[in-house]
Amino acid sequence: VCIHRVRSCSSIRFIKSKYVCVFDKSALKFSHQQRLFRTSAVSCGQIVQFKLSDIGEGITEVTVKEWYVKEGDSVSQFDSICEVQSDKASVTITSRYDGIIRKLHYSIDDTAFVGKPLVDIEIDASKGVASEEDVVETPPMSHEEHTHQEIKGHKTLATPAVRRLAMENNIKLSEVVGTGKDNRILKEDILNYLAKQTGAILPPSPKAEIVPPLQKTEAVPAAPKDKARKMPVPVSRPIAFSGKDRTEPVTGFQKAMVKTMSAALKIPHFGYSDEVDLTQLVQLREELKPLAEMRGVKLSFMPFFIKAASLGLLQYPILNASLDENCQNVTYKASHNIGVAMDTEQGLIVPNVKNVQVCSVFDIAVELNRLQSLGSAGQLGTSDLTGGTFTLSNIGTIGGTYAKPVILPPEVAIGALGKIQVLPRFNGKGEVFKAQIMHVSWSADHRIIDGATMARFSNLWKSYLENPASMLLDLK
């Protein structure tokens, strides 16, 4: 048998000859086996680049704060890969593939860009997993979608940090009852579940939640704690005048503050201050505090301040509005999303309580507890930090009395609350008594808010707090 051209199966080239005579049968068999072996070796694994998806809010770059995997680790879908921080929030990125981590494209504190690869993952091509092109074209997963899991047909709402805590302790989220808003599972729910070591899907026993706080309160007197807090702690700086200058880039929440405060400079601020007698409110809170603890919630003064502000905004909606950049249109916000400034290790952050106008004081306290827990852990989501319409800053927790708060655009008003002090005041009979006094400082956008409006709002807010029972007439 003679042919003119023969294509070799062992290499990709053509062998040209005038005549090639009688092939050996065994040679053909060997060549065929070699071709099959090479094909199977190529299809054994496929490297895909897992790229950073758009996390919304116009964010184009983030800082890598922590890696949860290293090269060579095996990952499954929804496993945490890394935590990134933008100038607005921290987000945990989870895997969309089952495979092996082959390369990390960034180190800690490096800047990662949206649309660029985060990691290279080797996947099993035989399982029909999406190709590299599918990674680019897949719609980005928002932060809220990262916080949902489908477990046995039930949707469970939890933050990535809570999911990670549950995974580390081999806890099924479907067996934990969430006490947060919309049945969100909080870190405290996981810890309570671990303490009880039961699989019953039942709410925690009220007695189990009451006893520890009461014992802790009795064991630690309030007076020494207050004294310790007021005493300044000296800081040792042995190398204060040695070393070299250090230059660091402005990143994270500090970068967000630069942008926000630069925009705030364009707003003509109007300031207004007053003092509020919280004597009756202090007594009311002391009565309600044990009841809130029975429900597992810490009740501070802030929920009352927030609710009173919401009732005042119903009467003066111009304070719950926004002004466009050209100063041509005013948008009156239907929802009262009242922000609360918090001092955290990451810097100043301002999460907000959504729809305060339809929330009770207890509902606000529950949401504040959740925001404070997430803020301390650096796990606040973008939805918690955006959408605010009005802000209160409680500088009194640090010790300040007066402040000049800066408006957070696109909002048009903000209030700063000082510390509560016991001061002498006169009653209606001219008698001196001990009063619980707090000073408040307001700032308003003077382009659309005049001084009289700000003063009337402040007086209404003040009256609700000085006579807490009057809030019952307007609560819905």
Side-chain angles (χ1 to χ4, degrees):
V1 180
C2 298
I3 61 174
H4 185 66
R5 292 183 179 179
V6 178
R7 181 176 181 178
S8 173
C9 297
S10 62
S11 61
I12 306 175
R13 71 172 183 265
F14 289 96
I15 301 176
K16 297 182 179 180
S17 64
K18 188 172 182 180
Y19 293 102
V20 179
C21 298
V22 187
F23 281 96
D24 183 63
K25 192 173 182 180
S26 62
L28 283 172
K29 184 178 180 181
F30 171 78
S31 179
H32 181 64
Q33 289 177 343
Q34 188 178 18
R35 180 180 62 83
L36 292 177
F37 174 77
R38 285 176 176 270
T39 304
S40 61
V42 172
S43 62
C44 180
Q46 179 182 4
I47 303 295
V48 297
Q49 291 185 331
F50 180 45
K51 301 182 179 181
L52 179 62
S53 301
D54 183 8
I55 57 179
E57 299 296 328
I59 296 172
T60 59
E61 61 182 48
V62 296
T63 302
V64 178
K65 303 305 294 183
E66 182 179 0
W67 284 106
Y68 300 133
V69 296
K70 61 182 181 297
E71 294 181 1
D73 286 354
S74 297
V75 294
S76 302
Q77 294 186 43
F78 304 110
D79 283 355
S80 298
I81 290 188
C82 65
E83 180 180 346
V84 298
Q85 184 182 73
S86 68
D87 56 357
K88 296 183 179 179
S90 296
V91 179
T92 299
I93 304 299
T94 58
S95 174
R96 289 174 35 229
Y97 301 99
D98 298 332
I100 301 175
I101 301 296
R102 290 306 182 193
K103 181 180 179 181
L104 305 180
H105 285 269
Y106 300 98
S107 301
I108 301 296
D109 292 331
D110 282 355
T111 300
F113 298 91
V114 172
K116 299 298 182 181
L118 273 176
V119 296
D120 289 351
I121 303 178
E122 181 180 343
I123 62 175
D124 189 351
S126 63
K127 294 183 180 180
V129 185
S131 63
E132 182 177 353
E133 287 77 9
D134 293 330
V135 180
V136 182
E137 296 175 356
T138 302
M141 184 180 295
S142 66
H143 177 75
E144 286 298 321
E145 291 172 333
H146 280 291
T147 64
H148 291 76
Q149 288 183 339
E150 293 288 343
I151 302 179
K152 296 182 180 180
H154 300 283
K155 179 173 286 187
T156 301
L157 186 61
T159 63
V162 172
R163 294 205 315 269
R164 183 184 179 193
L165 179 63
M167 180 180 64
E168 291 174 348
N169 292 277
N170 296 321
I171 297 177
K172 295 181 179 179
L173 293 182
S174 58
E175 297 178 353
V176 181
V177 177
T179 59
K181 187 177 181 181
D182 298 328
N183 297 324
R184 180 188 295 268
I185 296 179
L186 307 178
K187 179 180 178 181
E188 291 76 10
D189 300 328
I190 300 295
L191 297 178
N192 290 337
Y193 181 86
L194 279 174
K196 294 182 179 181
Q197 289 295 322
T198 61
I201 308 179
L202 296 173
S205 172
K207 294 182 179 180
E209 294 179 354
I210 300 170
V211 175
L214 292 179
Q215 290 179 346
K216 184 177 179 181
T217 304
E218 294 172 357
V220 182
K225 182 178 179 181
D226 294 340
K227 292 181 180 179
R229 184 180 62 180
K230 293 178 181 178
M231 183 178 298
V233 180
V235 179
S236 176
R237 299 182 182 273
I239 56 174
F241 300 101
S242 62
K244 298 180 180 180
D245 294 346
R246 183 178 60 186
T247 302
E248 295 181 352
V250 179
T251 59
F253 294 111
Q254 196 175 32
K255 188 174 182 179
M257 184 182 297
V258 171
K259 295 179 180 178
T260 304
M261 294 301 100
S262 297
L265 284 175
K266 303 176 183 179
I267 300 175
H269 284 56
F270 168 78
Y272 180 84
S273 299
D274 200 357
E275 70 173 35
V276 187
D277 184 356
L278 299 181
T279 303
Q280 294 187 33
L281 181 61
V282 170
Q283 297 175 356
L284 177 62
R285 175 179 172 268
E286 289 300 319
E287 296 175 2
L288 298 179
K289 189 176 179 181
L291 299 178
E293 290 180 350
M294 291 178 63
R295 303 185 188 184
V297 176
K298 179 181 178 181
L299 181 63
S300 64
F301 290 103
M302 205 63 191
F304 297 96
F305 299 153
I306 293 175
K307 189 59 184 180
S310 178
L311 294 176
L313 293 177
L314 292 174
Q315 301 296 324
Y316 300 96
I318 188 63
L319 297 176
N320 195 60
S322 63
L323 184 65
D324 64 0
E325 294 183 359
N326 297 325
C327 301
Q328 299 296 321
N329 300 290
V330 177
T331 302
Y332 293 85
K333 305 293 185 178
S335 299
H336 295 172
N337 300 338
I338 299 182
V340 181
M342 294 183 180
D343 181 33
T344 67
E345 294 182 357
Q346 292 79 26
L348 178 66
I349 57 177
V350 189
N352 58 83
V353 181
K354 299 288 194 298
N355 298 311
V356 178
Q357 76 279 3
V358 294
C359 294
S360 65
V361 173
F362 181 77
D363 293 335
I364 299 171
V366 172
E367 181 66 3
L368 279 179
N369 282 198
R370 183 186 73 86
L371 294 175
Q372 289 168 349
S373 299
L374 294 178
S376 300
Q379 294 293 335
L380 283 169
T382 305
S383 61
D384 295 325
L385 296 168
T386 57
T389 61
F390 186 87
T391 300
L392 291 177
S393 177
N394 189 7
I395 62 170
T397 56
I398 302 177
T401 306
Y402 298 96
K404 185 180 179 181
V406 181
I407 300 172
L408 303 176
E411 300 175 18
V412 294
I414 184 175
L417 313 175
K419 62 182 179 181
I420 301 176
Q421 306 175 85
V422 179
L423 299 173
R425 291 295 183 267
F426 292 94
N427 58 19
K429 299 180 180 179
E431 301 170 342
V432 178
F433 71 99
K434 293 194 301 183
Q436 303 279 351
I437 301 298
M438 180 189 73
H439 291 87
V440 59
S441 304
W442 303 101
S443 290
D445 188 338
H446 213 356
R447 294 174 297 182
I448 59 174
I449 300 174
D450 54 56
T453 301
M454 189 73 255
R456 292 189 180 100
F457 168 82
S458 180
N459 290 337
L460 179 58
W461 179 79
K462 174 182 176 180
S463 66
Y464 283 132
L465 298 178
E466 291 186 340
N467 304 281
S470 64
M471 297 175 64
L472 297 175
L473 297 176
D474 296 323
L475 290 179
K476 297 181 180 179

